[in-house]
Amino acid sequence: MHDALFMVASLFPLFIILRLAALALYASPETDDFCFSYHYADDGLLGTVAVFYKTAIGRVLPMVLMCLPAMIARPLDMFITYPMVMLTFLFSFIAAGLWVCARLWSSASAALVFFLGITLTATIAVNAISFREMFLWLPGVACYLVPAAIFMVVFTYLITTAIGDAPLSRRSVAVLGALCFLAATCNEFTTVWFVAAIAASFALRSFRQIRSHIVLAGCTLAGFLIVLAAPGNLVRMSQYPAGGRIWTAIDGASSWYAYDWSLLLQQPTVISWLALLGSASIFVIEPKPIDARKVLLISVGVPTLFLACSFVTWFVAYYATGEMLAQRARNETEVFIVMSLTFATMAVSRFAAQFLPARPSNVRGVGILICALLCLPLVNSRAMTLYRTERSSFATFWLESVQRHATISLSQRGDITVPARTARPSLLMQEDLTADPSRLPNDCVAAYYRKKSVIMR
């Protein structure tokens, strides 16, 4: 009966996830997608990575992932493969959320794990700073969502094994080390969070297993050095003359990282998710003993450590560019913040639950009802409100994208002029073609279609 009730309760967050997943069917390539696709056609995978590594960025894994639509577009069209790739990444992220909850509550039923996992991913999705850049634009997905999902897995494994006093085996260290290395090659900020997670794991184990944690930290730093060593970093940094000012970076980072934390903590969906975790632990889930020292480290130490990581991330962004952290990077920090709060709430509620008497069946039923009601704020979240506002423009946007694709592809002329869009939903697009054929994205679009120039009227 309880499993059936949880499956019914899962319909609320599942409805949100499916609604947002349907947006991926309208996704179409934009800006950098065309750049990587035409380079892949001309230079192949290794050649594309080498070109961008020398001239633009050192993010090796994202560069490989951004070539995926072009890789599988040989028998198909990229405007078909692109939504398929977006859906694959979205469902992979959902799988990561389900895995996290299965590890956190290993003794829970499959129905309860599904309910918690789908609610966790829905909470993260609706609170994204930019939903489009988190799930519907491949450069944002490859550079920030992928390392965020890897972090969820690595962080959860490290903390849950530390709570259960389970040692890190050689096999687990090898797998975790490979994941840390790959995630560190995704951007310049992720390394800070992985080092923090490794440090938290080391502290929870009473500073034992030093060799395993040194290996993990070494793998993370190795990936980070690959990103830093890219010659393209100097080219990219030259485009930001306002960078390199320490006090300006400290001032900007102090203001904006606090803003991001306060913005997230004020969201009803985040408050409801944490309340849901507490209710499930107290009323439904069978309690497991947990050491008070570990509860203190997880509930206070981890959020404090992640707060410091947020500041470092914002500082690096301001110091490097003189500008605020990009929205796609703020999406990644949102995942880290939600994970730290999730673990803190789980630890406190699990510690409190072990002192409560056994729960009769009717008390568990009430707990499930409370958990279901706490999912309701997801329906009126920021992302869902924006979805309802722009829903009528999705089909028009997709039709105009396909029409533009067909017009440029089938034209025999070298210079192409396309009409402006009549639908510009912010959930699906940000930048468009301009009247200047020499600037991004016009230059990459023209190169992708093998035209001399492409402009928008």
Side-chain angles (χ1 to χ4, degrees):
M1 178 60 71
H2 291 155
D3 286 348
L5 291 175
F6 270 121
M7 292 307 295
V8 172
S10 300
L11 295 177
F12 291 107
L14 187 61
F15 169 79
I16 303 298
I17 288 293
L18 293 178
R19 272 296 182 91
L20 296 176
L23 276 173
L25 299 175
Y26 297 99
S28 61
E30 185 178 327
T31 59
D32 293 349
D33 298 310
F34 291 103
C35 300
F36 278 89
S37 295
Y38 95 76
H39 269 291
Y40 177 79
D42 290 347
D43 306 315
L45 180 60
L46 294 180
T48 299
V49 173
V51 167
F52 281 93
Y53 191 80
K54 293 177 183 178
T55 62
I57 56 175
R59 303 171 182 178
V60 177
L61 180 59
M63 286 190 281
V64 174
L65 297 177
M66 283 187 273
C67 291
L68 280 177
M71 290 182 193
I72 59 179
R74 293 300 175 87
L76 299 172
D77 187 277
M78 191 173 75
F79 276 68
I80 297 176
T81 60
Y82 197 84
M84 293 167 53
V85 171
M86 294 297 97
L87 278 173
T88 301
F89 279 115
L90 175 58
F91 286 121
S92 297
F93 185 76
I94 295 172
L98 292 171
W99 187 91
V100 165
C101 292
R103 288 287 306 185
L104 283 175
W105 295 280
S106 55
S107 61
S109 65
L112 176 54
V113 168
F114 180 79
F115 170 71
L116 293 173
I118 207 71
T119 306
L120 170 61
T121 51
T123 301
I124 291 174
V126 299
N127 285 292
I129 303 299
S130 170
F131 182 85
R132 169 191 162 272
E133 294 188 5
M134 192 174 201
F135 293 107
L136 303 178
W137 186 47
L138 189 51
V141 171
C143 294
Y144 298 101
L145 182 67
V146 169
I150 294 175
F151 177 86
M152 291 170 63
V153 172
V154 172
F155 180 63
T156 300
Y157 188 88
L158 288 175
I159 302 302
T160 53
T161 52
I163 292 175
D165 295 318
L168 294 172
S169 64
R170 289 184 178 180
R171 180 179 298 179
S172 63
V173 170
V175 174
L176 294 175
L179 292 175
C180 289
F181 173 79
L182 291 173
T185 65
C186 288
N187 59 64
E188 298 79 9
F189 312 111
T190 299
T191 297
V192 177
W193 301 89
F194 273 82
V195 171
I198 294 167
S201 170
F202 189 46
L204 282 170
R205 298 173 199 273
S206 300
F207 305 100
R208 295 192 296 268
Q209 290 195 280
I210 184 171
R211 183 176 301 176
S212 298
H213 291 84
I214 288 177
V215 170
L216 295 179
C219 292
T220 305
L221 293 177
F224 182 56
L225 290 176
I226 290 176
V227 175
L228 289 186
N233 290 330
L234 295 177
V235 178
R236 195 177 187 188
M237 290 293 292
S238 65
Q239 302 173 1
Y240 296 96
R245 302 174 184 176
I246 294 180
W247 293 112
T248 302
I250 292 175
D251 180 63
S254 301
S255 302
W256 282 102
Y257 97 100
Y259 171 78
D260 268 11
W261 272 81
S262 62
L263 177 68
L264 193 61
L265 292 176
Q266 293 173 14
Q267 295 303 315
T269 49
V270 175
I271 297 172
S272 298
W273 164 244
L274 300 180
L276 186 154
L277 288 181
S279 301
S281 298
I282 292 174
F283 295 109
V284 182
I285 302 173
E286 288 293 337
K288 283 187 175 182
I290 183 172
D291 182 72
R293 171 184 164 274
K294 293 180 178 178
V295 172
L296 184 64
L297 284 173
I298 296 173
S299 60
V300 178
V302 169
T304 302
L305 190 60
F306 281 23
L307 186 67
C309 290
S310 295
F311 176 80
V312 171
T313 301
W314 273 98
F315 172 80
V316 170
Y318 259 105
Y319 183 77
T321 66
E323 300 176 0
M324 65 183 299
L325 190 65
Q327 288 187 338
R328 47 193 175 274
R330 293 167 67 190
N331 285 335
E332 186 183 25
T333 63
E334 182 244 337
V335 176
F336 299 153
I337 294 170
V338 170
M339 286 297 294
S340 71
L341 297 176
T342 296
F343 272 80
T345 305
M346 179 274 298
V348 172
S349 57
R350 178 173 168 179
F351 180 77
Q354 64 188 356
F355 300 106
L356 299 176
R359 295 93 164 146
S361 180
N362 59 339
V363 171
R364 292 189 177 187
V366 172
I368 296 172
L369 178 60
I370 294 174
C371 290
L373 293 176
L374 288 171
C375 291
L376 293 178
L378 292 171
V379 178
N380 291 318
S381 59
R382 289 181 299 171
M384 290 306 297
T385 301
L386 187 58
Y387 174 90
R388 289 190 292 268
T389 302
E390 298 184 341
R391 180 170 51 189
S392 60
S393 64
F394 296 156
T396 303
F397 168 81
W398 181 80
L399 289 171
E400 290 180 344
S401 297
V402 174
Q403 182 183 29
R404 177 181 291 183
H405 175 53
T407 299
I408 303 175
S409 298
L410 300 176
S411 176
Q412 301 299 317
R413 293 179 290 123
D415 298 302
I416 307 295
T417 301
V418 297
R421 294 180 179 274
T422 62
R424 300 173 57 91
S426 60
L427 282 172
L428 293 173
M429 69 168 293
Q430 182 175 355
E431 297 183 52
D432 202 357
L433 294 170
T434 67
D436 185 355
S438 63
R439 59 160 293 180
L440 184 73
N442 296 57
D443 52 354
C444 285
V445 172
Y448 173 77
Y449 288 104
R450 310 298 177 183
K451 303 298 182 182
K452 182 180 178 181
S453 69
V454 176
I455 62 173
M456 183 175 70
R457 185 170 63 245

